[in-house]
Amino acid sequence: MKIFVTGASGWIGSAVVPELLEAGHEVVGLARSDQSAQNLEAAGAMVHRGDVDDPAGLAKAAADSDGVIHLAFQHDVAFGGNFAAAASADRQAVEAMGEALADSDRPFVLASGLLGLSSGAVATENDGLVPSPEVRLNPAGRRAATALLTLSLRGIGVRSSVLRLPPTVHGDGDNGFVATFVGIARQRGVSGYVGDGANRWPAVHRSDAARLACLAVEAAPAGSVLHAVADEGVPFRDIAEAMGRHLNIPTTSESPADALEHFGPLGHFVGVDTPASAAITEELLGWKPTGPSLLDDLDQDYYYRQG
């Protein structure tokens, strides 16, 4: 198949592209910069120049493909304080690409998130299909609504699926949440967690997430929800202690009231208890994570390099 991949040069996308190529697919990657285009060409992919805020361009690329994996999201805009604008651009992109694929039975895979899907209980692929009032009021609820829109595309002849990713898709080169927490710990001189640190975060290695994205575009049934989860829930205190050991600094508890002061904007997420299961996904697609666990990765040196 000829697969159009948005976010193709990003952290997850740069693992998805070789996974697709190795499986025998052609890949067209969205690139908004010369460097991204060069990286995609070097990896063996074709290039579509554009951005996620160009619905017409995305629709054309989708129409010219045999399927789409939509990984891109304007995280820089979202974390710069305008989550609404980023979520709006994402919804318009999904609407445009979904319409381009209508009545074709071609696959459309949307990357979405697991963080905050549940509170305390282990979330499954069947959760979050009717957003709670709390989710609707939360800015992240806008992304949840876009995920539900994606699932509804099956009604217009699109083999749509939603790939929910944990807050931590880890590995060598990760510059996401965990790498940011390492930087905060180094700057603060303590590795912190919130309260007793028993709240759990799901996690998956980048290679496993990429393999599941490939399986999704190949075989996920229309309207399916997939969980890219290897670690169902790692206590955040264990994460903080691993960082503290390698940075040779104390591990300390921060009160919920002090979380924003200590962790900055990420203080909204550090204390969330959001474990998740991938049992349904494993049975549906035969996916089995094989990469190292989050704590195994945190025992390597790459999260602590400087320079």
Side-chain angles (χ1 to χ4, degrees):
M1 292 192 294
K2 180 181 178 182
I3 309 299
F4 176 49
V5 182
T6 72
S9 58
W11 167 238
I12 299 171
S14 58
V16 170
V17 168
E19 191 76 30
L20 290 168
L21 292 170
E22 187 175 342
H25 302 293
E26 295 180 62
V27 177
V28 179
L30 180 67
R32 63 178 178 176
S33 70
D34 292 341
Q35 186 61 59
S36 293
Q38 292 170 12
N39 291 345
L40 286 169
E41 289 173 343
M46 296 174 282
V47 173
H48 176 86
R49 290 302 297 263
D51 206 340
V52 292
D53 58 4
D54 175 19
L58 295 176
K60 183 180 186 309
D64 291 340
S65 75
D66 297 312
V68 174
I69 300 176
H70 180 39
L71 301 171
F73 187 77
Q74 295 176 329
H75 289 99
D76 52 342
V77 175
F79 288 107
N82 199 346
F83 193 99
S88 177
D90 189 49
R91 185 177 182 87
Q92 291 177 39
V94 169
E95 290 173 341
M97 290 187 285
E99 185 175 342
L101 295 174
D103 300 319
S104 69
D105 291 321
R106 284 177 284 175
F108 181 91
V109 181
L110 171 73
S112 189
L114 278 165
L115 190 61
L117 182 64
S118 66
S119 180
V122 176
T124 76
E125 293 86 340
N126 293 326
D127 291 318
L129 301 181
V130 179
S132 67
E134 293 80 11
V135 168
R136 290 193 186 98
L137 292 172
N138 190 293
R142 296 173 184 263
R143 291 199 76 184
T146 299
L148 294 178
L149 168 65
T150 299
L151 295 179
S152 76
L153 294 175
R154 63 183 172 177
I156 60 169
V158 180
R159 182 163 60 82
S160 58
S161 61
V162 170
L163 175 61
R164 290 175 178 164
L165 296 163
T168 300
V169 180
H170 54 89
D172 190 0
D174 174 17
N175 62 357
F177 276 134
V178 170
T180 302
F181 289 134
V182 169
I184 292 170
R186 180 180 278 121
Q187 179 184 14
R188 292 282 186 176
V190 296
S191 183
Y193 55 88
V194 173
D196 63 4
N199 63 292
R200 297 154 294 175
W201 273 30
V204 70
H205 191 267
R206 182 173 73 140
S207 61
D208 289 321
R211 188 158 43 85
L212 183 54
C214 185
L215 287 171
V217 79
E218 290 175 339
S224 54
V225 175
L226 309 171
H227 280 190
V229 172
D231 293 320
E232 285 196 359
V234 183
F236 203 91
R237 179 170 182 165
D238 292 353
I239 297 171
E241 287 176 342
M243 294 176 186
R245 283 195 307 273
H246 284 271
L247 295 172
N248 197 28
I249 57 177
T251 303
T252 62
S253 170
E254 304 295 329
S255 72
D258 292 334
L260 283 174
E261 191 280 328
H262 184 90
F263 295 102
L266 296 187
H268 291 294
F269 310 111
V270 178
V272 172
D273 186 34
T274 184
S277 164
I280 294 173
T281 299
E282 292 182 13
E283 182 175 355
L284 182 66
L285 295 180
W287 175 75
K288 291 286 186 183
T290 59
S293 70
L294 173 58
L295 293 180
D296 285 341
D297 257 353
L298 284 172
D299 273 338
Q300 308 305 313
D301 66 349
Y302 34 78
Y303 273 107
Y304 311 100
R305 297 175 188 145
Q306 288 184 288

